[in-house]
């Protein structure tokens, strides 16, 4: 009771000391001033955009223009500007139909021309650009297109052979065929090898017979299945003459041209989700569904007319890997598109922070802009550096994919797994920080940032759970290490060549110039990767020597595996940043990128593992933090230019990025 009285007395004293404000008439109302009036550009933002977009800038702007022109994209005037944003207040069914109408609109205007029927780097990069633009508008649009073109279309193209291409690809490109991708099941997601759907071959009729033998074998989360898809690629165990030959892929029709569900196929809706409600995710059961022998996608294996299993790859593990290798494009697409959500969120939150004020430092002085607070700079500016780094890494990943060869499939798998996990995790971190940095305005759907969290959360799960992907990366690095030791040869590939050099040494005292040196920063990142790989090999080998299986040994070392995966990713991303910077002549663009590059690497060095494993002393860790704060202050004058360089049109941002006062005025109600 005494404590309650004491607290009440303190509160009373505080209120009695409070001086009431002067009459309202003497308080000037806040006004909006565009940040462009006070912020200058020290470098060419158009050239910077070309550098970080990397390709197809004109194509992107054309697609942005198509969306702005149509009422299907829900244009709405706020604060003197027109914004395009889906109406998320619509019912699930309405959102799904609007997604489909938007696809039809883009189809009629040639947006998807050549996406499946043309070959070469140019069309592949144009397709990536188209997907990235669609993701900026709406994740449902991006995902619906991705399932149809990259998953269904990609399976036909890469797992099928010539007769499949001739029969299915053009119809897919013009949407006379609407495809989906039935891999995930209720009981199996990441473990594709464990799917329970079963397919047998009837040599009497020359048909495959597909069955869902139990409830956990129902195909689940199949995008497009609930409403629109006419066909699907089914991943199923193939049993031939009593022998399970492993997972294979089959083309199955699930609806007729009028939208009626085919006989012996059952489809149910997955229901409402925390995001992506414009995608009709469905569940599928198959009851003795028969398909022609030709519907087996047979680039890896085939079944003869009389029922003999044929494959040039005898090893089941290698055969499964061959089936999965072409599907890495889904991870590439998700990784690259996630970077653009970070760009949207940062462009909105930085512009808001350049016009929103809070608190005066001295009496009778104006309130301070949010971005002039060192704490606010520390929240947002490092995230800008991360987004630039991810942009360069994404461009590297896309080029790695489009220039792929059979020999590079393993590298693409490892890098895409690493980047997909890192980019999508980082994107969620950025969306959360930007939401908080926008205060209460970040909660409004029309302001995008908060809503994007629910929309993009799933990216850490689909196309491979991020934690599992990182474990695959560490296992691959382990295999590279053991192979190099066994052959007694130098490391080659995956950027591991640094393992052949003497171990880097961190200076006992870190000056500002050292902390900004690209050589020091690369050495520090390589040191962590090198040491963690050595530790991982030692710990796994120790577990195996104690009688554990290789798989159990990996599981027991999961924490090291995760740390190693992140170390590999940080070093690989930094490498792409350095390479992008090296392409530029000495000018203001290169200067600003050099500062961003240093900031990105220092953020990586701030990771707890640097002190935990002894790479940095506590004092050096403090020096890193001080340098980050210093660089954030140096980059503050360039914040607007850096987010403007993202190239996101005004209509695809939100009201708080511009005149948020007018957008919320009584006249706008």
């Amino acid at each position: 009771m005494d404590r309650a009285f004491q607290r009440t007395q303190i509160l009373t004293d505080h209120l009695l000391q409070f001086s009431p404000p002067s009459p309202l008439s003497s308080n000037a109302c806040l006004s909006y001033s565009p940040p462009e009036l006070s912020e200058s550009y020290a470098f060419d933002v158009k050239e910077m955009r070309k550098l970080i977009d990397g390709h197809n800038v004109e194509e992107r702007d054309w697609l942005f223009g198509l969306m702005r022109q149509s009422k299907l994209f829900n244009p709405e005037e706020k604060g003197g500007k027109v914004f395009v944003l889906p109406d998320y207040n619509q019912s699930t069914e309405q959102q799904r139909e609007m997604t489909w109408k938007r696809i039809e609109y883009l189809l009629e205007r040639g947006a998807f021309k050549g996406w499946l029927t043309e070959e070469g780097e140019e069309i592949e990069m144009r397709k990536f650009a188209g997907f990235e633009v669609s993701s900026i508008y709406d994740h449902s649009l991006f995902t619906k297109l991705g399932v149809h073109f990259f998953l269904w279309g990609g399976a036909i193209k890469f797992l099928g052979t010539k007769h499949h291409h001739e029969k299915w690809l053009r119809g897919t490109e013009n949407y006379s065929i609407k495809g989906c991708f039935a891999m995930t099941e209720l009981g199996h997601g990441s473990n594709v090898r464990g799917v329970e759907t079963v397919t047998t071959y009837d040599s009497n009729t020359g048909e495959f017979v597909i069955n869902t033998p139990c409830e956990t074998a129902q195909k689940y989360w199949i995008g497009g299945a609930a409403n629109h898809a006419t066909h699907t690629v089914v991943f199923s165990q193939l049993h031939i003459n009593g022998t399970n030959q492993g997972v294979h892929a089959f083309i199955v029709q699930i609806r007729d041209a009028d939208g009626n569900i085919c006989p012996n196929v059952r489809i149910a809706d997955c229901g409402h989700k925390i995001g992506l409600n414009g995608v009709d995710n469905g569940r599928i059961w198959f009851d003795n569904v028969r398909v022609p022998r030709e519907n087996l996608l047979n680039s890896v294996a085939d079944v003869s007319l009389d029922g003999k299993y044929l494959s040039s790859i005898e090893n089941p593990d290698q055969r499964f890997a061959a089936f999965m290798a072409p599907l890495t494009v889904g991870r590439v697409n998700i990784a690259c598109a996630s970077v653009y959500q970070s760009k949207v969120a940062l462009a909105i939150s930085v512009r808001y922070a350049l016009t929103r004020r809070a608190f005066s430092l001295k009496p009778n002085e104006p309130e301070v802009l949010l971005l002039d607070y060192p704490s606010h700079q520390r929240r947002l500016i490092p995230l800008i550096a991360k987004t630039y780094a991810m942009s360069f890494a994404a461009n590297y990943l896309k080029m790695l994919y489009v220039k792929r060869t059979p020999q590079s499939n393993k590298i693409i798998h490892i890098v895409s797994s690493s980047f997909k996990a890192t980019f999508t995790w980082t994107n969620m971190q950025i969306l959360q920080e930007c939401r908080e940095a926008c205060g209460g305005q970040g909660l409004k759907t029309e302001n995008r940032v908060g809503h994007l969290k629910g929309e993009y959360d799933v990216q850490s799960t689909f196309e491979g759970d991020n934690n599992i992907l990182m474990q695959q990366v560490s296992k691959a690095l382990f295999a590279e290490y053991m192979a190099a030791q066994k052959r007694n040869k130098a490391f080659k590939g995956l950027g591991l060549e640094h393992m052949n050099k003497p171990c880097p040494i961190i200076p006992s005292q870190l000056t500002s110039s050292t902390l900004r040196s690209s050589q020091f920063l690369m050495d520090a990142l390589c040191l962590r990767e090198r040491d963690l790989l050595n530790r991982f090999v030692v710990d796994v080998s120790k577990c195996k020597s104690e009688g554990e299986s290789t798989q159990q040994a990996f599981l027991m070392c999961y924490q090291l595996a995760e740390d190693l995966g992140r170390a590999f990713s940080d070093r690989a991303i930094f490498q792409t940043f350095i390479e992008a910077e090296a392409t530029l002549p000495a000018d203001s663009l290169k200067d600003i990128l050099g500062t961003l590059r240093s900031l990105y690497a220092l953020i990586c060095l701030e990771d707890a593992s640097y002190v935990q494993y002894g790479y940095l002393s506590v004092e050096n860790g403090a020096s890193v933090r001080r340098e980050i704060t210093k660089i954030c202050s140096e980059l503050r004058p360039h914040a607007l230019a850096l987010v403007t360089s993202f190239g996101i049109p005004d209509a695809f941002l939100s009201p708080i990025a511009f005149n948020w006062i007018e957008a919320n005025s009584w006249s706008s109600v």
Side-chain angles (χ1 to χ4, degrees), residues 230-366:
T230 59
H231 293 75
T232 189
V233 171
V234 177
F235 285 79
S236 166
Q237 305 291 347
L238 174 59
H239 290 214
I240 299 293
N241 298 322
T243 301
N244 184 1
Q245 299 292 350
V247 177
H248 292 65
F250 304 85
I251 297 172
V252 180
Q253 184 167 0
I254 58 174
R255 285 187 179 84
D256 63 23
D258 297 321
N260 301 305
I261 296 174
C262 293
N264 300 339
V265 175
R266 290 175 286 148
I267 297 177
D269 202 304
C270 285
H272 192 269
K273 308 179 289 289
I274 65 170
L276 277 180
N277 284 299
V279 176
D280 50 318
N281 293 93
R283 303 146 63 192
I284 312 175
W285 293 257
F286 304 98
D287 304 314
N288 290 312
V289 173
R290 289 178 171 267
V291 299
R293 187 175 66 92
E294 293 75 20
N295 282 26
L296 168 66
L297 295 175
N298 62 344
S299 67
V300 175
D302 206 349
V303 175
S304 67
L305 190 59
D306 60 352
K308 292 179 181 176
Y309 185 76
L310 309 168
S311 179
S312 60
I313 306 174
E314 292 186 10
N315 184 295
D317 293 338
Q318 294 177 1
R319 197 160 61 231
F320 178 75
F323 267 118
M324 295 296 104
L327 304 179
T328 54
V329 65
R331 279 199 295 277
V332 175
N333 197 31
I334 288 169
C336 297
S338 68
V339 179
Y340 282 84
Q341 311 323 306
S342 298
K343 291 179 179 180
V344 169
L346 283 165
I348 292 169
S349 56
V350 166
R351 290 188 66 90
Y352 185 58
L354 287 168
T355 61
R356 178 69 155 83
R357 297 175 179 272
F359 302 105
S360 300
L361 299 183
K362 294 180 181 178
N364 302 318
E365 283 193 353

